[in-house]
Amino acid sequence: MSYFDSVPQAPADGILKLSVMSKADTNSKKVDLGVGAYRTDEGKPWVLPVVRKAEQRMAQDPAANHEYLTVGGLPALTNGAQTLIFGGDSAALKEKRVYTIQTISGTGANMVGAVFLKQFKRPDDAAVYISKPTWVGNHRSIFQTAGHEVREYRYCDYQTLGLDIDGMLADLRAAPRAQIVVLHACAHNPTGIDPTPAQWAQIADVMQERGHFPFFDCAYQGFATGDVDRDAFAIRLFVDRGFELLVAESFAKNMGLYGERTGCLHAVVADPARVAAVSSQLNRLSRATISTAAAYGAKVAGTVLQDPELYGEWQQNMGEMSGRIMEMRRALRQRLEKLQTPGDWSHVTSQIGMFSFTGLSAAQVQRLREEFHMYLTDDGRISVAGLNSGNVDYVAMAIDAVVRAG
């Protein structure tokens, strides 16, 4: 008899399982459209040139060391991240109503925020509402693991593969007052469907009417459109409207610091007198879980954020990444339309960011894996970053074949 006999097998993580299957496939035509990381047109990982420069500066710094960071993290990162998210002219920053703590990327920020809200949310039985669909496998898991009840609000219109704004607003209105609502700041994962500025204003109206608490997840700022201010529109709108809120921020995608696990959690409060208490509790939670945050990625990101020359080059690097993804969206749509693939493929270019919700069924996805060695998630989500000039024709041909087969 084992002490661990009562431990059940956890459900397999869909993304990790897909990655294992893809790596095991040695077919020369294999296309991995599951990985949530940027790839060049040659299908290779890309270290941003600006990150290389920051690393070189760090290596040449005679004062460089490997000491622990403070519990709150590296100020060069946390201060720079505040300005990046809220804008240099933010009233919330000028009024000192924001506290930022460094986290283990965006996932860690979500978890620290989830545990914090579980302890201090009002009312104490408030549920967490996530979009349907949302970040595959993780949003629900994070908030349930922290002890919250998790519910869904409508988001994707599965007929048009656009935003179901009416369904979303109806569900937010129908929810009990003062619930916690997880919102994707830009480049919604997994759909690539973002509200327009006018729709964000409608969402804010309903959230204010119902007293809901916003929890933004921002993993793609600058990566989505190439414009950090445009991608922060929703967050800044809610702050300007007077909301108290949390923002989880990641530098995995927009700086390519995937394995360095660099991120922040921002708390915006109405009364600056509350910052001391909020910061003390967030620091306590972080101390109890990771002691102090990782230094290397924070130093890279902090160097870029604090140096005007490097910051400008970073903007160019993000523009190159987002531009290539937009180009691949156009290329895939053009090829599907040239093949006269049944259906409307305009959603491929109307969606935004790394992912596209194709509308393919689970059976079609399975056939793509088995017959065409194409790897995408069961819900039909593809990572557009996995497309390149060498495989987009093959991908379009394969999609055309499975769609025609029904």
Side-chain angles (χ1 to χ4, degrees), residues 130-137 139-140 182 184 188-190 379:
I130 59 176
S131 63
K132 182 180 181 181
T134 192
W135 181 19
V136 180
H139 270 154
R140 179 178 293 277
V182 177
H184 298 234
H188 182 274
N189 180 4
D379 59 7

Side-chain angles (χ1 to χ4, degrees), residues 279-299:
S279 63
S280 72
Q281 293 295 344
L282 289 173
N283 288 351
R284 179 185 63 82
L285 290 173
S286 184
R287 172 69 171 157
T289 52
I290 63 170
S291 186
T292 61
Y296 186 80
K299 291 176 181 178

Side-chain angles (χ1 to χ4, degrees), residues 104-116 118 128 130 134-150 182 215 217 248 261:
I104 304 299
S105 202
T107 305
N110 274 275
M111 179 56 84
V112 172
V115 175
F116 172 81
K118 177 59 180 175
V128 172
I130 59 176
T134 192
W135 181 19
V136 180
N138 237 15
H139 270 154
R140 179 178 293 277
S141 179
I142 287 169
F143 287 96
Q144 286 182 336
T145 299
H148 296 277
E149 179 185 355
V150 177
V182 177
F215 191 147
D217 192 354
R261 314 311 295 141

Side-chain angles (χ1 to χ4, degrees), residues 21-45:
M21 289 193 302
S22 176
K23 288 178 180 178
D25 189 339
T26 58
N27 189 282
S28 61
K29 292 185 176 181
K30 177 182 71 176
V31 182
D32 189 344
L33 300 177
V35 62
Y38 181 77
R39 295 291 182 261
T40 66
D41 196 52
E42 293 71 40
K44 303 295 184 183

Side-chain angles (χ1 to χ4, degrees), residues 67-384:
E67 293 295 298
Y68 290 120
L69 299 181
T70 62
V71 174
L74 185 73
L77 172 69
T78 55
N79 293 339
Q82 284 185 349
T83 303
L84 185 69
I85 285 285
F86 302 108
D89 59 350
S90 168
L93 292 181
K94 292 176 181 177
E95 295 162 7
K96 300 189 183 305
R97 294 190 289 109
V98 182
Y99 177 67
T100 300
I101 186 169
Q102 186 183 332
T103 59
I104 304 299
S105 202
T107 305
N110 274 275
M111 179 56 84
V112 172
V115 175
F116 172 81
L117 289 174
K118 177 59 180 175
Q119 295 183 9
F120 301 109
K121 63 185 177 182
R122 298 187 306 169
D124 60 11
D125 64 349
V128 172
Y129 282 74
I130 59 176
S131 63
K132 182 180 181 181
T134 192
W135 181 19
V136 180
N138 237 15
H139 270 154
R140 179 178 293 277
S141 179
I142 287 169
F143 287 96
Q144 286 182 336
T145 299
H148 296 277
E149 179 185 355
V150 177
R151 302 173 185 168
E152 292 180 325
Y153 58 85
R154 282 171 284 177
Y155 191 85
C156 178
D157 182 328
Y158 289 87
Q159 296 301 313
T160 65
L161 297 178
L163 179 64
D164 182 3
I165 185 64
D166 292 334
M168 179 181 183
L169 296 177
D171 287 348
L172 295 180
R173 282 195 182 97
R177 289 189 59 81
Q179 303 298 287
I180 298 162
V181 180
V182 177
L183 299 164
H184 298 234
C186 62
H188 182 274
N189 180 4
T191 68
I193 302 166
D194 282 1
T196 65
Q199 289 169 332
W200 274 120
Q202 289 179 283
I203 294 165
D205 287 342
V206 173
M207 299 241 333
Q208 265 182 327
E209 289 168 11
R210 300 298 298 156
H212 296 324
F213 183 88
F215 191 147
F216 279 97
D217 192 354
C218 186
Y220 301 94
Q221 187 183 4
F223 189 98
T225 66
D227 184 332
V228 294
D229 295 318
R230 180 179 172 185
D231 291 346
F233 171 83
I235 295 170
R236 296 178 188 179
L237 171 70
F238 275 63
V239 173
D240 289 345
R241 287 282 196 95
F243 282 92
E244 293 187 301
L245 51 81
L246 295 181
V247 181
E249 179 181 19
S250 169
F251 290 93
K253 307 297 192 299
N254 57 13
M255 279 199 194
L257 297 174
Y258 302 99
E260 304 306 335
R261 314 311 295 141
T262 305
C264 294
L265 177 68
H266 307 274
V268 179
V269 302
D271 181 357
R274 302 308 306 156
V275 169
V278 170
S279 63
S280 72
Q281 293 295 344
L282 289 173
N283 288 351
R284 179 185 63 82
L285 290 173
S286 184
R287 172 69 171 157
T289 52
I290 63 170
S291 186
T292 61
Y296 186 80
K299 291 176 181 178
V300 171
T303 299
V304 172
L305 292 172
Q306 297 298 334
D307 183 282
E309 180 181 345
L310 293 182
Y311 186 88
E313 184 173 345
W314 178 47
Q315 305 294 299
Q316 295 173 4
N317 290 170
M318 285 191 291
E320 184 174 342
M321 289 190 290
S322 63
R324 197 189 83 77
I325 287 177
M326 291 176 192
E327 180 183 345
M328 285 299 102
R329 286 184 178 277
R330 289 190 293 268
L332 179 59
R333 177 182 174 181
Q334 288 168 359
R335 283 156 176 78
L336 289 170
E337 291 177 343
K338 185 176 181 180
L339 290 167
Q340 297 184 344
T341 306
D344 179 3
W345 297 96
S346 61
H347 61 272
V348 175
T349 52
S350 64
Q351 295 169 2
I352 195 170
M354 179 173 286
F355 300 113
S356 178
F357 220 45
T358 62
L360 296 171
S361 68
Q364 290 168 333
V365 168
Q366 185 65 24
R367 189 178 170 202
L368 286 171
R369 289 180 198 156
E370 294 175 352
E371 296 185 29
F372 297 96
H373 305 274
M374 276 175 51
Y375 291 87
L376 55 155
T377 57
D378 290 339
D379 59 7
R381 184 203 80 172
I382 65 170
S383 174
V384 184

